[in-house]
Amino acid sequence: MDNHHTSRQALPSLAGEDGSGSLNIVFMGTPEFAVESLKKLVENGYHVVAVVTMPDKPVGRHHDTLQASPVKQYALSQGLPVLQPERLKDETFLEELRSYHADLQIVVAFRMLPEVVWAMPPLGTFNLHAALLPQYRGAAPINWAVINGETETGVTTFFLDHDIDTGRIIHRVPSPIADTDTVGDVYDRLMYLGADLVLRTVDDIAAGNIQPIDQSSVLGDLSAETLLRPAPKLSRDNTQILWHQHTVKSAYDFIRGLSPYPGAWTTLRTADGKDTQLKVFFSEKETTFPADGNEYGPLLIHLRDGYLRLTDIQLAGKRRMSVQDFLRGAHLEGAELVEL
């Protein structure tokens, strides 16, 4: 695929009289986020010939129970063939995938595909990305948009090529982020907005009516002050709250950008030196020391430009609870939040 020009995609019209078209589609996805897109295709009469998802995941205390992905569960409920390759370059899987003679492949929250897979169908493979590309390329775009205090994000459909999240853009649709939104709120909105965009994209491809644009042309429209922000995979290291680096707003955004999953974390050290991981799901911004501040002890954090009150937390090995409930049974004299 040429990655350096804007072009009209030369496609035959494959739309049928009912609008659903005669496309053979292979859908690839795993989590709940992808189910809504697959459901939209099925309910609008598109011919999904197979679904590719991750292998069943061991769950339970002893990892002795296998749990199917949300996409697999929905696919089976609709009688759709399901493929679950361990390795995407496995020749047995590739032969089975070829046997479905897909015209188009659609990827929503799956994994990085090798060229032998994404280049297989004649109309290509497109991906739904939960950000306005070229911003927030990577594995966790919704989280990082909220963490960085963005007021807008969105969804993008684009054709896959050799580098991750860099292919030609088909459509982009913006969506606002409120100051009170958690990543869970934005996730839910983008899940439905993305499903609508997947359907629109397939409709346009079926009608031969798309004009993919190179991401380089979008980059050219950005101001010199605009930096491309990445969306790397979340890990224990980059989800720790490093209090000394934060303002009140940046700490507040960091917490909501990781709520409810995986949860921003810090360490509560008691007076006797015992450390316990503390996850934080909600907080409130305070410009000055609040009247009830002393009641919160170390859970009211003094930052360089004000105070942050933790309001919804979970100690390691305990249930999630409001800070008010936690304080009723906690002994926090001499306790402090520390960075490890």
Side-chain angles (χ1 to χ4, degrees):
M1 294 182 182
D2 190 340
N3 201 36
H4 300 285
H5 68 280
T6 300
S7 62
R8 186 174 187 83
Q9 189 82 343
L11 299 175
S13 175
L14 294 174
E17 291 181 3
D18 63 354
S20 65
S22 56
L23 290 172
N24 283 345
I25 295 172
V26 167
F27 184 90
M28 302 182 181
T30 295
E32 176 195 19
F33 189 88
V35 173
E36 199 61 32
S37 293
L38 176 57
K39 184 178 178 183
K40 206 79 167 176
L41 294 169
V42 171
E43 291 180 349
N44 281 272
Y46 274 105
H47 189 210
V48 179
V49 293
V51 171
V52 183
T53 191
M54 293 289 283
D56 293 356
K57 184 179 179 181
V59 295
R61 175 176 291 183
H62 304 292
H63 296 278
D64 54 358
T65 302
L66 292 178
Q67 183 178 71
S69 73
V71 162
K72 179 181 177 179
Q73 293 176 43
Y74 176 77
L76 293 178
S77 77
Q78 301 300 307
L80 301 174
V82 175
L83 286 65
Q84 296 179 270
E86 292 281 353
R87 295 186 305 109
L88 294 175
K89 291 183 179 181
D90 181 80
E91 192 55 42
T92 301
F93 163 67
L94 294 174
E95 287 180 11
E96 187 173 8
L97 188 61
R98 290 187 193 101
S99 73
Y100 287 101
H101 303 290
D103 300 298
L104 177 69
Q105 292 176 156
I106 300 169
V107 180
V108 181
F110 186 48
R111 55 201 275 200
M112 191 170 180
L113 302 183
E115 182 175 2
V116 67
V117 174
W118 60 254
M120 192 178 293
L123 298 183
T125 299
F126 81 79
N127 178 253
L128 173 71
H129 189 71
L132 296 175
L133 289 173
Q135 290 288 11
Y136 294 104
R137 294 168 175 162
I142 307 177
N143 298 92
W144 287 105
V146 180
I147 287 170
N148 288 331
E150 302 286 3
T151 58
E152 182 181 73
T153 185
V155 286
T156 303
T157 50
F158 69 99
F159 283 112
L160 293 188
D161 66 9
H162 293 93
D163 297 317
I164 189 166
D165 297 337
T166 60
R168 291 172 299 153
I169 292 169
I170 308 168
H171 293 306
R172 296 195 306 167
V173 177
S175 181
I177 302 176
D179 183 63
T180 54
D181 281 338
T182 67
V183 72
D185 299 322
V186 181
Y187 177 101
D188 289 344
R189 283 203 297 276
L190 296 189
M191 178 170 64
Y192 292 102
L193 187 66
D196 289 340
L197 186 59
V198 165
L199 182 63
R200 173 187 164 194
T201 301
V202 178
D203 286 345
D204 287 347
I205 289 174
N209 186 32
I210 59 169
Q211 287 184 284
I213 62 169
D214 291 346
Q215 290 192 32
S216 58
S217 66
V218 180
L219 285 168
D221 293 336
L222 298 178
S223 68
E225 294 78 23
T226 302
L227 298 176
L228 274 186
R229 290 182 159 178
K233 185 176 180 179
L234 299 175
S235 66
R236 180 170 171 80
D237 288 342
N238 64 17
T239 56
Q240 180 183 10
I241 310 170
L242 300 175
W243 298 107
H244 75 281
Q245 295 181 359
H246 283 290
T247 62
V248 171
K249 177 164 175 24
S250 69
Y252 171 83
D253 291 339
F254 189 84
I255 289 166
R256 68 192 181 98
L258 296 167
S259 177
Y261 183 82
W265 67 277
T266 185
T267 299
L268 180 67
R269 178 171 292 168
T270 58
D272 60 2
K274 182 180 178 182
D275 289 345
T276 307
Q277 178 178 286
L278 179 73
K279 283 194 174 183
V280 185
F281 299 99
F282 287 102
S283 64
E284 294 176 355
K285 295 173 282 187
E286 302 279 358
T287 55
T288 59
F289 190 83
D292 60 352
N294 288 324
E295 299 174 16
Y296 280 75
L299 305 185
L300 180 71
I301 299 96
H302 185 196
L303 299 170
R304 70 186 80 154
D305 60 343
Y307 296 85
L308 193 75
R309 183 203 306 256
L310 308 188
T311 60
D312 192 327
I313 62 173
Q314 182 178 23
L315 274 176
K318 305 292 184 180
R319 64 179 179 87
R320 177 174 164 176
M321 66 182 74
S322 70
V323 165
Q324 287 85 352
D325 288 343
F326 173 75
L327 290 173
R328 289 190 188 102
H331 301 285
L332 296 180
E333 295 82 2
E336 60 179 337
L337 296 182
V338 299
E339 298 173 13
L340 299 182

